[in-house]
Amino acid sequence: ERIVFRTRSGHHDEYGISKRLHKSFPKIKSDKYTNSIELIKKSKLVIAIYISTTFIESLYENTPAVLYLNKDRDIINEDIRSLFIEMELVGLVHWDIVSLDKFISLNKDMFQECWTSDKLECVKKKILGLLAIPSADPFRDILGLVYQHPLSNRSEVPG
């Protein structure tokens, strides 16, 4: 079992988060190249530093995951601020290394057990309902979004 820290693929770590995490947690593995689903299924805990596909896929795969966000960089839209407060209360969001350190230290031997608590399940369902809506035709859905863009010359997706 592993704890994995996932950085943005192809981006440098502009906030030094990798170094700070490795200093606090030397056994954490950093990975930005492995197929995310493969990595998620092998992980004990996934740590994401931005709201990403990897974080959503972890929730969908029912693998423990947390967001380690930066209050100066990550601006949360007013529409979903209450959801982020709920996420913080159940340990899904951490705004500083001390909070993340405490969470990992207290739960390192029981991530799976705390991952299935009723409060956490409720918050996970809200997140997935908002961000991970299954689609019968995802390519068509994406085309629809592209065609709605103001720079698109098309008004609707072809049949």
Side-chain angles (χ1 to χ4, degrees):
E1 293 185 313
R2 304 179 325 156
I3 296 177
V4 176
F5 170 67
R6 180 115 176 158
T7 59
R8 289 182 193 231
S9 182
H11 289 77
H12 67 286
D13 185 5
E14 69 262 26
Y15 293 98
I17 294 170
S18 292
K19 279 185 181 177
R20 293 194 328 235
L21 275 172
H22 284 290
K23 185 176 178 184
S24 294
F25 311 104
K27 292 184 179 182
I28 287 180
K29 304 288 184 219
S30 180
D31 185 296
K32 58 182 166 184
Y33 302 108
T34 305
N35 173 289
S36 62
I37 296 294
E38 248 179 71
L39 193 60
I40 288 166
K41 288 181 179 180
K42 293 178 186 175
S43 299
K44 183 177 182 180
L45 174 68
V46 175
I47 301 170
I49 62 167
Y50 57 101
I51 302 163
S52 63
T53 303
T54 300
F55 177 72
I56 303 303
E57 287 171 341
S58 297
L59 297 182
Y60 191 78
E61 290 292 328
N62 207 24
T63 297
V66 295
L67 286 171
Y68 175 46
L69 300 178
N70 180 320
K71 282 189 179 183
D72 297 327
R73 178 196 68 201
D74 300 304
I75 297 165
I76 305 305
N77 186 317
E78 203 57 48
D79 297 346
I80 60 170
R81 189 172 306 276
S82 63
L83 177 59
F84 272 78
I85 291 169
E86 286 183 68
M87 290 168 66
E88 186 174 2
L89 291 172
V90 296
L92 284 176
V93 173
H94 299 272
W95 297 98
D96 60 71
I97 195 71
V98 174
S99 170
L100 183 61
D101 182 13
K102 185 177 177 182
F103 175 80
I104 292 174
S105 297
L106 289 173
N107 296 295
K108 66 182 174 203
D109 296 323
M110 50 186 221
F111 287 124
Q112 209 50 53
E113 290 83 2
C114 70
W115 191 245
T116 56
S117 75
D118 291 342
K119 287 181 182 178
L120 194 59
E121 283 295 326
C122 180
V123 175
K124 287 189 306 188
K125 283 180 184 176
K126 284 182 185 179
I127 297 166
L128 290 173
L130 187 67
L131 301 173
I133 302 164
S135 172
D137 191 353
F139 183 70
R140 184 174 175 74
D141 293 345
I142 291 170
L143 275 180
L145 291 173
V146 171
Y147 286 176
Q148 289 173 17
H149 191 277
L151 297 176
S152 173
N153 293 329
R154 298 183 181 226
S155 57
E156 38 181 272
V157 179

